[in-house]
Amino acid sequence: MKDSFKYIDKEIRPWGVFYIIADEKNYKIKRIEVNTGARLSYQYHIGRSELWLIIEGKAKVTINGVDKYYNVGDNVTIPVKSKHRVENDSNEKLIFIEIQYGQYFDEDDIYRIQDDYSRIK
């Protein structure tokens, strides 16, 4: 299946896939797709905050130990250093747009607390 949108890079992860749409000095934008029954690691970042916009499916989001569900059109703000995770516990694909803003956007700014895929260093 051909992707129907433009992107800079694509990375397949054990929970799904993400596409980098923009990578600028002071922000990065990703399209993130989470497979049914999958979740990202419980993590935090030192160099960035994130804003998520749910565009397909339903997201179970945990921020600092509190779970909340979000639907299409909802947005989630994740302040810098906040512990967070997103989970797709539904029967349909979850897709959201992530806008990272702050001072540092590389993947080595992921500090994992818990991970289903044994990626904690």
Side-chain angles (χ1 to χ4, degrees):
M1 180 172 122
K2 186 174 184 331
D3 301 318
S4 60
F5 58 92
K6 303 266 186 205
Y7 59 90
I8 297 168
D9 196 11
K10 173 182 178 179
E11 287 195 31
I12 297 173
R13 296 296 171 106
W15 44 260
V17 62
F18 71 79
Y19 303 86
I20 299 173
I21 299 169
D23 191 357
E24 302 296 329
K25 181 181 175 186
N26 57 345
Y27 69 90
K28 182 183 273 189
I29 302 174
K30 293 180 179 178
R31 173 188 162 120
I32 299 176
E33 300 181 4
V34 183
N35 296 331
T36 300
R39 63 183 182 174
L40 282 67
S41 60
Y42 191 49
Q43 60 186 260
Y44 64 95
H45 310 286
I46 299 294
R48 67 177 182 251
S49 298
E50 296 175 345
L51 176 66
W52 297 346
L53 174 63
I54 310 303
I55 60 171
E56 187 176 317
K58 185 175 183 178
K60 178 181 177 184
V61 177
T62 305
I63 300 177
N64 294 323
V66 177
D67 295 336
K68 186 174 176 183
Y69 282 91
Y70 295 87
N71 297 298
V72 172
D74 291 339
N75 61 66
V76 183
T77 300
I78 302 166
V80 68
K81 299 181 184 176
S82 293
K83 297 172 187 169
H84 62 283
R85 108 173 324 148
V86 63
E87 179 176 353
N88 181 2
D89 64 359
S90 74
N91 292 328
E92 59 185 90
K93 184 183 288 188
L94 166 63
I95 302 175
F96 63 97
I97 301 300
E98 176 181 272
I99 302 170
Q100 302 173 3
Y101 54 99
Q103 299 177 359
Y104 190 75
F105 310 109
D106 287 344
E107 292 297 298
D108 62 354
D109 187 38
I110 298 173
Y111 297 89
R112 291 184 174 93
I113 300 160
Q114 193 281 328
D115 184 64
D116 296 343
Y117 313 103
S118 302
R119 297 176 297 167
I120 296 177
K121 297 175 187 175

